[in-house]
Amino acid sequence: MNVRIEPNFSDQFCEWLVSEGYTHCFFLAGGNIMHLLNSARSRFVCIPVIHEVTATIAVEYFNESSEGGKAFALVTAGPGLTNCTTGIAGAWLESREILVVGGQVKSTDLASGGLRLRGIQEIDGVSIFKSITKVAVLLDKPLSRNELGEILKIGSDGRPGPVYMEICL
């Protein structure tokens, strides 16, 4: 009996990042990125850090000094997102392209209708980062390969800057 296992979105997302030239991932593990981290660990050199701001600054300087490959930061929801603010702001001020991928609660747990939060550690990172990134998007459903490429391209078009993508669990 042959069983065919379909790749999940996190596997596909990481494969697309590989095709975009990403080779390294600086991360701080958390529950809302468990699937992304599991997919990343077999595709990238994954470097754990002790604080999320370290991940964003490490990505910035890796990308500035590397001659082969690019890095991205992978952080979990809630305080994991807010801890990235200083690193993202620094990249914004220095016009440096970085990619920060943040976790978020399940799409079915997203707050609406005036609720502050519904899911565990739910913080609206897009609203926090939209003024210090070239683009900040919430992925509450899978996107296509072309859509990902278009989002990533925004970070390098014209004056470079950070790209923030928040992906629901």
Side-chain angles (χ1 to χ4, degrees):
M1 181 170 131
N2 289 336
V3 176
R4 184 168 182 232
I5 298 174
E6 294 292 325
N8 59 29
F9 179 69
S10 63
D11 290 333
Q12 191 63 70
F13 180 80
C14 288
E15 285 299 321
W16 292 338
L17 289 180
V18 168
S19 71
E20 291 285 338
Y22 287 88
T23 57
H24 289 69
C25 170
F26 292 89
F27 74 94
L28 192 93
N32 288 345
I33 58 167
M34 63 184 166
H35 300 297
L36 288 164
L37 185 54
N38 189 51
S39 296
R41 67 185 179 88
S42 63
R43 292 168 175 85
F44 305 103
V45 175
C46 290
I47 302 163
V49 296
I50 59 170
H51 195 280
E52 292 85 359
V53 73
T54 307
T56 56
I57 293 170
V59 165
E60 179 181 357
Y61 286 96
F62 180 92
N63 291 345
E64 285 296 310
S65 63
S66 175
E67 294 182 11
K70 295 191 287 188
F72 68 99
L74 181 59
V75 300
T76 195
L81 301 179
T82 60
N83 286 344
C84 292
T85 306
T86 299
I88 291 172
W92 173 254
L93 294 171
E94 296 296 327
S95 300
R96 294 194 172 148
E97 176 189 357
I98 66 168
L99 171 61
V100 178
V101 177
Q104 185 51 279
V105 300
K106 296 182 297 183
S107 58
T108 55
D109 286 346
L110 288 170
S112 61
L115 292 175
R116 178 179 290 179
L117 67 109
R118 196 168 145 216
I120 296 173
Q121 291 194 322
E122 180 182 357
I123 289 180
D124 182 357
V126 171
S127 293
I128 292 170
F129 297 133
K130 66 183 175 184
S131 70
I132 55 172
T133 59
K134 292 203 62 184
V135 63
V137 297
L138 168 66
L139 303 180
D140 57 357
K141 61 184 188 296
L143 77 167
S144 72
R145 167 71 183 89
N146 288 340
E147 290 169 319
L148 175 64
E150 289 172 18
I151 292 167
L152 294 175
K153 189 172 189 259
I154 293 170
S156 61
D157 279 349
R159 186 175 178 179
V163 170
Y164 173 71
M165 301 179 81
E166 190 169 278
I167 301 178
C168 289
L169 181 62

